[in-house]
Amino acid sequence: MDFDRVLEKCGNFGPYQWVVLLLFGYTNVLSSMHYFSQTLISFTPEHWCYHPELGNKTFDEIHNIYEDVSSPHCTLLESVDANGTAVAAQGLLCRQWIFKDEVGYESITMELGWVCGQAFNNAVGQSFYYIGAVVGTITFGFLADKIGRLPAIILSTLSGGIGDFLTSFVHTVPMFSLCRFISGLSTDTFYVLMYILAFEYLNPKKRTFGLNIVPAVFYCAGLMFSPWCAMWVHTWRKYLLVASTPVLLVFIYPLFTCESANWLLTRQKYDSAVKCLKRVAKFNGREVEDSVFEEFVEYYKQKIKLEEEKVTNNDTFWGMFKTPRLRKFTIILLIKSVIITMSFDIISRNMEGLGSEPLHLFSYTSVCYIPAGLTIIAFQNIIGRKGMASISLLLGGIITAITGFLVAYMDPKANATLLAIMVGLGRYGAVVAYDAEAQYCTEIIPTSVRGRGVANIHVIGYACSFLNAYVLYLANYYRPLPSIFISIIMLAGSILCLFLPETLNKKLPDTLSDGEVFGIGEKWYFFPCCGSRGQGKEDTDDNQNTQRKLSTSS
């Protein structure tokens, strides 16, 4: 009488599960508003150095005046004659700007003048957000194992809200960096922990659909709503205040959901686990006999007793680097995590200079999350994990490269619709790659080190994301550079995926020894939709020989 069987009796897809999915959906809204708040507060519209003669000019007139001026965004004018001819001042720095504010929204770069020579201030501050993400992932991951998933969800969500709230009052780079660090502590952690809670209490046959369609709808809704909320309140400070307020509703989560029963079982808190399951049964209108719970508790007591009698498993994350094939897989997963995390973030933030108002463009292209989620549901079990990961990165890289060159050689204003479509397609590829990566990585890493392995690989991806702000800063030198950089690393990631084993419909590795021989004999061009790998006697013998070598070396 294990957990899944008891949950089936208590109801594994009833009213309780719908409530949990709704809470997970609300968490998706919070996560999208929190993560991309750093993007919305730092959008920089088209701008020019201020001159008194430009005070009564329209934006189009100002653009024409600066048309023949080198570096128009940062060049101080000495004079402007009656014909609109500008003469650039020599040796003087621009200290005031005219911003093309078309929607009545003032970002932090506009208010504090973080453009031209001061543009790096925003990059420095935002990089601390990702440093906080690394610290938060480790800290709240530790707390989740010590005090429980639900308390960790509440604490991590509050830390993000507090960070956004404090950021709304800053005026200096050091304070901005500190507050972004605090805000970054919760990044992804409260989302992942709520994902785990929803995962555990759902019918296994409903998990793929439920846990993909909810983010597709609610995360997308949060992204599409956020820019309009920012325009409604007019300033980045008020937006952060508005975005940080909804986190207070996390305090009602314990009223509608309970702690992870699986976590309680690992802590040998059997009475609390039974209490949670009885609560699920009551919510779902099920009557479950006490004998079922008694058998359930006895099962886990015996299971833990048997596990304690077994020889201690010495597998560690660092052990994944000791054997050649597993070392190759681990290094590829680490590099791929960095590539996907950076690509996902930079493509989502690279909205400036594309002919459309950045906030509008961000909102409209966010609709790509819905088809991205549906794509995962429809095709991942057909073309396989490797095919989904590789193709999404390949297409995303090609589309992003084309977008970069279009920006370089076409007038963005005249081709705003085309560029918006290309940006949406690029985001679509990045989202599919990001979602596919989560499951693929989890399946390749052996069970004995899966928790630590996935966490470490995830942390490495976020650790390198502090470079994202500097990649975006490259646009100050040449507008298409961020797109070119991202397209190159996405294409590299697509190729790396081909050297990973397919995991669809296979028994996943349990130990490091299993991981070393997993997928042995499989060709790099194998995809499930293209037919059977056809592992023959030669491949089987290789597998057995490798197993014997590993046993001998042990």
Side-chain angles (χ1 to χ4, degrees), residues 167-181:
T167 303
S168 66
F169 296 99
V170 303
H171 291 85
T172 63
V173 177
M175 289 304 300
F176 179 69
S177 301
L178 175 61
C179 292
R180 296 318 292 160
F181 174 85

Side-chain angles (χ1 to χ4, degrees), residues 4-276:
D4 286 336
R5 291 184 63 189
V6 174
L7 183 62
E8 186 177 357
K9 293 180 178 294
C10 297
N12 56 15
F13 199 66
Y16 178 82
Q17 281 71 27
W18 282 106
V19 170
V20 172
L21 284 176
L22 285 175
L23 292 178
F24 180 50
Y26 184 72
T27 301
N28 272 268
V29 175
L30 293 180
S31 180
S32 63
M33 294 182 67
H34 171 69
Y35 183 79
F36 285 102
S37 64
Q38 57 186 340
T39 303
L40 298 179
I41 68 173
S42 59
F43 274 142
T44 305
E46 190 174 2
H47 55 280
W48 307 271
C49 197
Y50 174 79
H51 189 277
E53 296 291 336
L54 304 178
N56 296 321
K57 303 289 185 181
T58 65
F59 291 131
D60 289 336
E61 290 174 335
I62 296 174
H63 178 79
N64 292 332
I65 290 172
Y66 270 97
E67 192 171 11
D68 297 326
V69 177
S70 176
S71 186
H73 300 310
C74 306
T75 300
L76 181 64
L77 298 183
E78 183 175 323
S79 63
V80 180
D81 61 25
N83 297 323
T85 302
V87 178
Q90 300 297 322
L92 297 177
L93 296 177
C94 184
R95 299 186 181 279
Q96 189 176 356
W97 290 266
I98 299 173
F99 291 95
K100 189 177 182 180
D101 183 11
E102 297 179 308
V103 295
Y105 173 73
E106 184 181 51
S107 66
I108 188 171
T109 54
M110 298 167 65
E111 180 188 333
L112 302 182
W114 286 355
V115 294
C116 298
Q118 299 298 314
F120 70 92
N121 288 337
N122 183 55
V124 171
Q126 299 290 18
S127 65
F128 274 84
Y129 179 92
Y130 292 101
I131 297 175
V134 174
V135 175
T137 299
I138 297 172
T139 302
F140 289 114
F142 173 79
L143 288 176
D145 286 337
K146 289 295 182 181
I147 64 176
R149 314 302 195 220
L150 203 52
I153 289 173
I154 296 173
L155 291 175
S156 61
T157 306
L158 288 176
S159 70
I162 291 171
D164 287 343
F165 178 80
L166 294 176
T167 303
S168 66
F169 296 99
V170 303
H171 291 85
T172 63
V173 177
M175 289 304 300
F176 179 69
S177 301
L178 175 61
C179 292
R180 296 318 292 160
F181 174 85
I182 297 173
S183 181
L185 292 173
S186 72
T187 296
D188 209 44
T189 305
F190 67 98
Y191 171 86
V192 170
L193 293 176
M194 193 63 210
Y195 178 98
I196 292 173
L197 276 183
F199 179 91
E200 290 183 355
Y201 286 109
L202 267 179
N203 182 331
K205 295 181 180 179
K206 305 291 185 181
R207 286 171 182 167
T208 298
F209 178 79
L211 297 177
N212 280 281
I213 199 65
V214 168
V217 173
F218 285 90
Y219 202 90
C220 174
L223 289 181
M224 296 188 71
F225 166 77
S226 297
W228 298 100
C229 177
M231 289 183 282
W232 176 57
V233 298
H234 299 301
T235 71
W236 68 276
R237 296 184 186 276
K238 290 181 181 179
Y239 171 73
L240 286 180
L241 290 175
V242 171
S244 60
T245 303
V247 303
L248 296 176
L249 289 180
V250 75
F251 284 115
I252 71 171
Y253 278 29
L255 300 178
F256 297 100
T257 187
C258 46
E259 182 56 83
S260 164
N262 279 324
W263 176 79
L264 292 170
L265 291 171
T266 62
R267 309 301 291 184
Q268 300 184 34
K269 297 181 179 181
Y270 304 114
D271 292 340
S272 297
V274 169
K275 185 177 179 181
C276 285

